[in-house]
Amino acid sequence: MTRTTRGGGLDGDPSTGFLSEVKDAVSTRTALLVIGVLAVQLAFIASYIGAFHKPKPHEIPIAVTAPAAQITDQAVEQLRALPGKPLKPRAVKDEAEALSQIKNRDVDGALIVDPRAPGDRLLVASGAGASLSQALEEILGATEKAQKRTLTVTDVVPDDPGDARGLSSFYLVVGWCVGGYLCASALAISAGAKPANPARALIRLCVMLLYAIVAGLLGAVIAGPVLGALPGSVMALWGLGSLLVFAVGAITLAFQGIAGVVGIGLAILLVVVLGNPSAGGAYPYPLLPGFWRGIGPVLPPGAGTFAARSIAYFKGNGAGGPFLILAAWAVGAAAVTLVLSFLRQDKKALDDRLTEAATAPRRDPS
């Protein structure tokens, strides 16, 4: 039985005190990591609440058409002059062109003006996000009411019955992103946070690619045929998922090559803290504050969400740009991972030569 010596340390050693025990239990490195975790946590709270606490429409692209060009131009100017610039109207030739632009994802809605009727018609696409179509209904409904006219709303690209509020694409993308950075973290931590050499880095990237192919397929099958949450091509979703998972995994490996274990936190900061609230899931880009609206399209979650909705509801229209963004992340991060491994190998070889030279026995000049 261990006794605590009066005035001694917590382990009974009189030569140690409470502060010494604290220093032994929590090293400086551990304390810095805990502070880092706190910073990521606070950034998470600030980012999510900052993005979602007060959605406000900003320059939602909308097509406008009327029987006469003069009436169309007049309607465009009226909508452009709305306080706060909630809409970004553009004149189109006719309803057919307006519908085509909606389905090509060039605009998020269309106002069909008919001065001969008691009201006008609004075309929306809830497949692009229910909150976005609702915002258009509210804005234009109030505008029509002020003019003592009615508004008839037609959903030309409705979300699927199994896809509540069009959020399944976002949740699928979040799942793929989580798998990407967790797999990469497991690969790196299992044998040290930094790649020891180019061969190990290349092996990890190859394993990451195989994982991404499997994860992309299974995610697409679960969201599509199994749960019936997303329509659209399973093959296209598979390709998107594989590219997204590999891109996020490669980003994580690159950050780990730069900062070691801390790189995992940097990957979470980029993908989760900044990427998820700006992805356009719950609130599409035109409803987000400026900072999140600006970064969302170029981060993996945002590019993935936009592409997934395009595949599910718009026959892939508009998905080309997001695919290129994800490909750039994947190629760039993989290149950084490999370059860092070569640099580290060269540095290790140089250190070994210097150590060998320093410890080699010196010859007697005589």
Side-chain angles (χ1 to χ4, degrees):
M1 180 175 176
T2 303
R3 293 187 304 166
T4 301
T5 306
R6 185 177 179 181
L10 298 180
D11 60 356
D13 185 352
S15 64
T16 62
F18 179 75
L19 292 179
S20 297
E21 293 294 341
V22 171
K23 291 179 181 179
D24 288 340
V26 182
S27 65
T28 302
R29 182 171 181 271
T30 302
L32 291 175
L33 287 174
V34 170
I35 293 172
V37 170
L38 177 61
V40 171
Q41 174 186 314
L42 296 179
F44 184 98
I45 294 171
S47 185
Y48 275 74
I49 295 179
F52 297 152
H53 79 290
K54 193 177 180 181
K56 183 180 179 181
H58 178 77
E59 295 190 347
I60 302 175
I62 181 172
V64 181
T65 186
Q70 182 178 0
I71 299 175
T72 300
D73 293 340
Q74 183 179 1
V76 167
E77 289 304 317
Q78 289 176 346
L79 295 178
R80 190 172 288 152
L82 289 176
K85 296 184 178 181
L87 302 178
K88 188 178 182 180
R90 64 174 69 171
V92 297
K93 182 176 62 176
D94 51 26
E95 183 175 345
E97 184 179 350
L99 182 60
S100 175
Q101 290 201 10
I102 291 174
K103 293 187 175 181
N104 286 332
R105 304 211 72 181
D106 296 324
V107 297
D108 293 316
L111 180 64
I112 314 300
V113 179
D114 187 357
R116 297 164 298 184
D120 302 321
R121 293 187 296 122
L122 172 64
L123 309 182
V124 298
S126 60
S131 57
L132 186 57
S133 59
Q134 288 176 357
L136 284 174
E137 291 181 38
E138 292 175 4
I139 296 167
L140 291 169
T143 302
E144 295 286 316
K145 185 177 180 181
Q147 298 174 357
K148 297 183 179 181
R149 293 174 62 81
T150 60
L151 184 68
T152 302
V153 180
T154 303
D155 195 343
V156 295
V157 187
D159 52 18
D160 196 78
D163 184 14
R165 297 187 61 80
L167 290 175
S168 296
S169 299
F170 172 62
Y171 292 132
L172 175 60
V173 165
V174 169
W176 276 330
C177 289
V178 169
Y181 66 72
L182 286 182
C183 179
S185 300
L187 288 172
I189 291 176
S190 63
K194 296 181 180 179
N197 51 54
R200 180 180 294 177
L202 181 60
I203 290 171
R204 289 175 180 173
L205 287 170
C206 289
V207 172
M208 192 68 243
L209 178 60
L210 291 175
Y211 175 87
I213 292 172
V214 174
L217 174 61
L218 295 180
V221 169
I222 290 172
V226 174
L227 297 179
L230 283 181
S233 169
V234 173
M235 294 295 292
L237 286 174
W238 178 14
L240 171 64
S242 299
L243 179 58
L244 177 61
V245 173
F246 180 77
V248 173
I251 289 169
T252 306
L253 289 174
F255 275 132
Q256 288 171 335
I258 295 171
V261 176
V262 176
I264 298 174
L266 295 177
I268 292 174
L269 181 66
L270 179 71
V271 177
V272 179
V273 175
L274 294 177
N276 284 355
S278 65
Y283 297 110
Y285 301 139
L287 303 182
L288 294 175
F291 173 74
W292 290 269
R293 185 172 62 245
I295 66 173
V298 298
L299 294 181
T305 299
F306 192 94
R309 282 178 172 157
S310 294
I311 292 169
Y313 294 109
F314 299 89
K315 299 181 179 179
N317 293 327
F323 265 90
L324 289 176
I325 290 172
L326 291 174
W329 277 109
V331 173
V336 169
T337 301
L338 290 173
V339 168
L340 288 174
S341 68
F342 277 105
L343 292 176
R344 188 168 186 234
Q345 178 177 257
D346 292 342
K347 182 178 182 301
K348 184 176 183 302
L350 178 61
D351 290 343
D352 290 343
R353 287 197 297 269
L354 292 175
T355 301
E356 182 179 352
T359 57
R362 296 182 181 181
R363 295 182 180 181
D364 189 345
S366 60

